[in-house]
Amino acid sequence: QPCWREYLTTRIEQNMVVNCTCPISECRAQPTTAFIYSIVSSEEIIAKYEKALLRRYVECCSNLTWCTNPQGCDQILLKDGLGYGAACSKCSWISCFNCNFPEAHYPASCSHMSRMTCAKCNHGFCWRCLKPWRPNHKDYYNCSAMVSKAAWQEKRFQDYNERCTFHHHAREFAVSLRNSVSSIREMPKIRNLTFVLDACKVLEQARKVLAYSCVYSYYNQDNESMDIVEQQTETLELLTNAL
């Protein structure tokens, strides 16, 4: 038993217990859960083992996923029926289930969130793997565009990027403000501040939409309906700033 206990404990701590086999090279048998419970007595190690089993289960179920809140959340979400606007029941984070971006990014599409464009030659590529966005693009390292066009593209990218960054920072401020108000409400003899919390939540959502509207507008410059989109975005930005 001591040998088995040390072996299983090491495997659990290294997150390699789920597929581990008997340490005898000729034996491919895997220790069962009941066997592990009978050998390992440490509650801390058992807790790590159970977490490993849960992670494995979620990974094997295509309809399950973890909440993608970058601040940390251990909630398991069921993908079915969770369209845009559905939030985690534990932390209220809204995830995107169609791409690897950590949160819902309406109105920007999933392709917008994974695509970058060279400011000089307008070549599109994926920022995850750095491969060309279009397979038939052959001039990967060679740019022959005019400098004036490159300068215009660079200035346009900087403008949208600055706006997007501003709205993300403003959203973080709204989150910080909501947390501060929540702590004040816990103090005695303080009037109800629910309306302030509601306003902060609206600010968070509005700033999020405005940030990803910048991404959407940047990649849809030739769309005929962009004038209407820009007008709506400007109106939302004015109202949000006023709030």
Side-chain angles (χ1 to χ4, degrees):
Q1 279 198 0
C3 294
W4 266 108
R5 184 180 298 112
E6 182 177 353
Y7 172 70
L8 293 174
T9 298
T10 301
R11 284 286 183 168
I12 293 173
E13 290 180 338
Q14 294 177 348
N15 292 321
M16 300 173 61
V17 68
V18 176
N19 294 321
C20 79
T21 58
C22 175
I24 300 177
S25 59
E26 294 82 9
C27 181
R28 307 306 301 169
Q30 293 184 335
T32 64
T33 299
F35 178 75
I36 292 176
Y37 282 151
S38 67
I39 296 295
V40 180
S41 57
S42 170
E43 294 183 359
E44 181 181 355
I45 299 300
I46 288 297
K48 291 182 179 180
Y49 171 63
E50 292 175 344
K51 287 183 179 180
L53 288 180
L54 183 60
R55 285 196 302 269
R56 178 67 172 177
Y57 178 75
V58 173
E59 291 172 359
C60 292
C61 294
S62 60
N63 200 33
L64 296 178
T65 186
W66 297 98
C67 175
T68 59
N69 190 335
Q71 301 300 322
C73 179
D74 57 0
Q75 185 77 347
I76 299 174
L77 304 178
L78 182 66
K79 293 182 181 180
D80 281 354
L82 286 180
Y84 174 77
C88 173
S89 59
K90 185 173 182 179
C91 68
S92 300
W93 184 262
I94 304 177
S95 304
C96 178
F97 298 132
N98 297 319
C99 68
N100 292 328
F101 200 73
E103 70 171 343
H105 41 73
Y106 178 84
S109 68
C110 292
S111 62
H112 290 158
M113 304 315 298
S114 61
R115 177 179 177 178
M116 297 293 288
T117 303
C118 174
K120 192 171 184 180
C121 70
N122 208 31
H123 162 60
F125 62 95
C126 177
W127 64 266
R128 293 193 183 93
C129 63
L130 300 182
K131 292 182 179 179
W133 194 256
R134 293 186 177 89
N136 59 355
H137 185 90
K138 297 179 180 179
D139 300 324
Y140 191 72
Y141 294 103
N142 298 321
C143 294
S144 57
M146 295 175 59
V147 175
S148 58
K149 181 179 179 180
W152 177 82
Q153 286 280 16
E154 183 176 359
K155 179 62 167 61
R156 184 173 179 275
F157 172 80
Q158 290 177 349
D159 289 342
Y160 278 106
N161 185 57
E162 289 176 0
R163 287 171 56 191
C164 182
T165 302
F166 168 79
H167 290 305
H168 276 306
H169 288 166
R171 178 186 174 190
E172 293 175 357
F173 170 78
V175 173
S176 176
L177 179 61
R178 178 162 60 88
N179 293 335
S180 298
V181 173
S182 297
S183 63
I184 293 175
R185 291 182 65 201
E186 298 175 358
M187 299 176 60
K189 300 181 180 180
I190 298 295
R191 65 175 183 168
N192 195 330
L193 297 177
T194 303
F195 71 97
V196 181
L197 294 175
D198 292 340
C200 290
K201 292 179 181 179
V202 172
L203 280 175
E204 292 174 37
Q205 183 63 23
R207 291 298 183 186
K208 176 181 177 181
V209 172
L210 285 169
Y212 292 124
S213 293
C214 295
V215 180
Y216 178 86
S217 298
Y218 178 77
Y219 285 112
N220 291 275
Q221 56 181 321
D222 298 327
N223 195 317
E224 295 180 357
S225 62
M226 281 310 299
D227 288 340
I228 299 177
V229 174
E230 293 285 1
Q231 291 174 6
Q232 293 176 336
T233 302
E234 183 178 354
T235 301
L236 176 59
E237 189 168 4
L238 290 173
L239 295 174
T240 302
N241 290 338
L243 179 60

